[in-house]
Amino acid sequence: MKTVFTNSECVHTFAQRTQDNGRTSNKNIFFEGDSIYSYGYHYELGRFLDDKTILINDEGYSNSTAKHITLLVGATTQYKQYYKTKVNIHLVHNQIMYLKKKLAKARKPEMYISQIYSLWNSFNEYINDRKRNELRKYNEYKELLLFVDSLQEETSIEDLRNWAKEEQKKKREKQRKQLTKSLAKFRAYESNYFRIGGKDYLRLSKCAQFVETSQGVKIDVNEAKRYLKLLKSGVMMRGQRIGNYTTISFDKLLRIGCHNISKEQINYINELI
């Protein structure tokens, strides 16, 4: 019995269910019993649920695994096919919540509503066909049920936009509290690195010999003084160097390399040195 195949042969042999095992020469695809794998047991590419049904793991993102998924999909069209991203409660919940955020900002909401209904209907079809009623007990399912039902209300899009504004407000408040806490620890020398909101912060080192950034960069204090004098003089800062770093721009923010430093931080460190 032949057990070593090309990629395509291996997937098709698995689909025929005529033997219990097989592999490619480099073992990047292999199958045992009802399951087929891509690059090891950690990624189950597909599994027969019964003689007429297969569950395909379409969660893979690498180019090679994506090709293996495509091969398996094509080789098993004679069976009822389910896809992991459409039947896993956690993945379905995450995807619909992602679409919910998109819908809240959409100028043409119909496209996102259609995607939500399609995913929701596929998930419930799986529950009914496979008699997986226990999935309806999950809090994630209950949350999705309320949300999908709400889409039938005339005010649903307006309600969603208000929800999105409230969520953004909560996010900003959470970020503000986190920034206050992280900056205090940074200034107390309890931490050397943090980044929140795309901005960077400054402190004087304990030995007072360096200006330190919240990205862990150190600049000799004399070099920092020289650079600050340039800032005060009003010269064009683009291209000016400080240590090994080159200034990109100086407008609302001072952009040096990967750093974005506010004028408030510049004034803070200027007073210290």
Side-chain angles (χ1 to χ4, degrees), residues 20 25 44 56 69 72 82 146 151 178 186 237 243 250:
D20 289 334
S25 59
E44 187 181 38
I56 297 171
I69 293 168
L72 185 60
Y82 288 113
L146 289 172
L151 292 178
Q178 187 179 358
F186 176 68
M237 293 304 297
F250 180 44

Side-chain angles (χ1 to χ4, degrees), residues 109-167:
E110 296 80 10
M111 177 180 70
Y112 295 106
I113 292 174
S114 175
Q115 290 180 50
I116 290 167
Y117 278 138
S118 176
L119 186 53
W120 180 243
N121 291 336
S122 294
F123 184 56
N124 280 283
E125 178 187 351
Y126 170 76
I127 290 175
N128 294 330
D129 288 352
R130 303 304 302 177
K131 296 180 172 55
R132 295 291 308 277
N133 290 322
E134 77 278 4
L135 292 173
R136 292 193 170 99
K137 297 179 181 178
Y138 280 67
N139 289 333
E140 290 161 307
Y141 182 91
K142 295 174 183 177
E143 182 184 358
L144 291 179
L145 178 61
L146 289 172
F147 168 59
V148 175
D149 282 349
S150 74
L151 292 178
Q152 299 179 46
E153 302 292 334
E154 290 184 4
T155 60
S156 61
I157 301 302
E158 182 181 349
D159 290 342
L160 267 178
R161 286 173 179 154
N162 290 333
W163 166 83
K165 289 178 183 178
E166 189 62 29
E167 287 296 301

Side-chain angles (χ1 to χ4, degrees), residues 32 54 64 73 75 105 129 162 170-171 177 186 223 231 238 250 255 260 271:
E32 295 176 0
I54 187 169
S64 52
V73 170
K105 301 176 182 179
D129 288 352
N162 290 333
K170 290 178 182 177
K171 182 180 179 181
K177 290 180 179 179
F186 176 68
E223 174 68 356
L231 282 177
R238 181 180 178 85
F250 180 44
R255 296 177 61 216
N260 298 311
E271 289 179 6

Side-chain angles (χ1 to χ4, degrees), residues 26-268:
N26 55 7
K27 295 184 180 180
N28 57 3
I29 304 177
F30 63 94
F31 65 89
E32 295 176 0
D34 290 333
S35 296
I36 187 167
Y37 302 90
S38 175
Y39 293 107
Y41 291 108
H42 66 283
Y43 192 91
E44 187 181 38
L45 187 62
R47 174 170 24 99
F48 278 103
L49 303 179
D50 56 43
D51 290 338
K52 297 180 180 179
T53 313
I54 187 169
L55 174 63
I56 297 171
N57 183 358
D58 59 334
E59 197 183 7
Y61 296 104
S62 72
N63 290 334
S64 52
T65 297
K67 291 176 182 177
H68 296 170
I69 293 168
T70 300
L71 284 173
L72 185 60
V73 170
T76 58
T77 54
Q78 67 271 40
Y79 302 102
K80 172 67 176 179
Q81 295 172 322
Y82 288 113
Y83 297 91
K84 183 178 178 181
T85 56
K86 294 184 178 181
V87 303
N88 180 290
I89 180 63
H90 308 299
L91 297 179
V92 170
H93 178 269
N94 289 343
Q95 181 62 12
I96 290 182
M97 288 298 101
Y98 168 78
L99 292 170
K100 179 181 179 181
K101 292 178 181 178
K102 288 287 188 181
L103 178 59
K105 301 176 182 179
R107 292 184 178 180
K108 297 181 179 179
E110 296 80 10
M111 177 180 70
Y112 295 106
I113 292 174
S114 175
Q115 290 180 50
I116 290 167
Y117 278 138
S118 176
L119 186 53
W120 180 243
N121 291 336
S122 294
F123 184 56
N124 280 283
E125 178 187 351
Y126 170 76
I127 290 175
N128 294 330
D129 288 352
R130 303 304 302 177
K131 296 180 172 55
R132 295 291 308 277
N133 290 322
E134 77 278 4
L135 292 173
R136 292 193 170 99
K137 297 179 181 178
Y138 280 67
N139 289 333
E140 290 161 307
Y141 182 91
K142 295 174 183 177
E143 182 184 358
L144 291 179
L145 178 61
L146 289 172
F147 168 59
V148 175
D149 282 349
S150 74
L151 292 178
Q152 299 179 46
E153 302 292 334
E154 290 184 4
T155 60
S156 61
I157 301 302
E158 182 181 349
D159 290 342
L160 267 178
R161 286 173 179 154
N162 290 333
W163 166 83
K165 289 178 183 178
E166 189 62 29
E167 287 296 301
Q168 190 63 31
K169 183 179 177 181
K170 290 178 182 177
K171 182 180 179 181
R172 286 196 298 267
E173 179 61 19
K174 182 180 179 181
Q175 190 177 79
R176 185 190 66 78
K177 290 180 179 179
Q178 187 179 358
L179 174 58
T180 300
K181 184 178 180 180
S182 297
L183 182 56
K185 290 179 69 175
F186 176 68
R187 294 269 169 79
Y189 305 101
E190 294 174 10
S191 70
N192 296 318
Y193 183 96
F194 77 93
R195 201 151 201 255
I196 298 172
K199 292 182 181 179
D200 302 288
Y201 299 83
L202 305 174
R203 74 183 181 191
L204 191 62
S205 65
K206 274 187 175 182
C207 64
Q209 295 301 307
F210 301 96
V211 171
E212 299 175 334
T213 79
S214 54
Q215 287 200 64
V217 171
K218 292 184 178 183
I219 298 293
D220 182 85
V221 71
N222 292 319
E223 174 68 356
K225 288 178 180 179
R226 179 196 66 79
Y227 188 82
L228 285 170
K229 284 183 180 179
L230 283 177
L231 282 177
K232 289 179 183 178
S233 71
V235 302
M236 176 67 70
M237 293 304 297
R238 181 180 178 85
Q240 297 288 345
R241 295 184 64 80
I242 176 170
N244 295 321
Y245 299 88
T246 302
T247 306
I248 298 172
S249 63
F250 180 44
D251 188 8
K252 293 181 179 180
L253 292 173
L254 175 61
R255 296 177 61 216
I256 307 174
C258 60
H259 287 72
N260 298 311
I261 302 169
S262 70
K263 292 179 180 179
E264 180 184 13
Q265 289 300 301
I266 294 169
N267 292 334
Y268 169 80

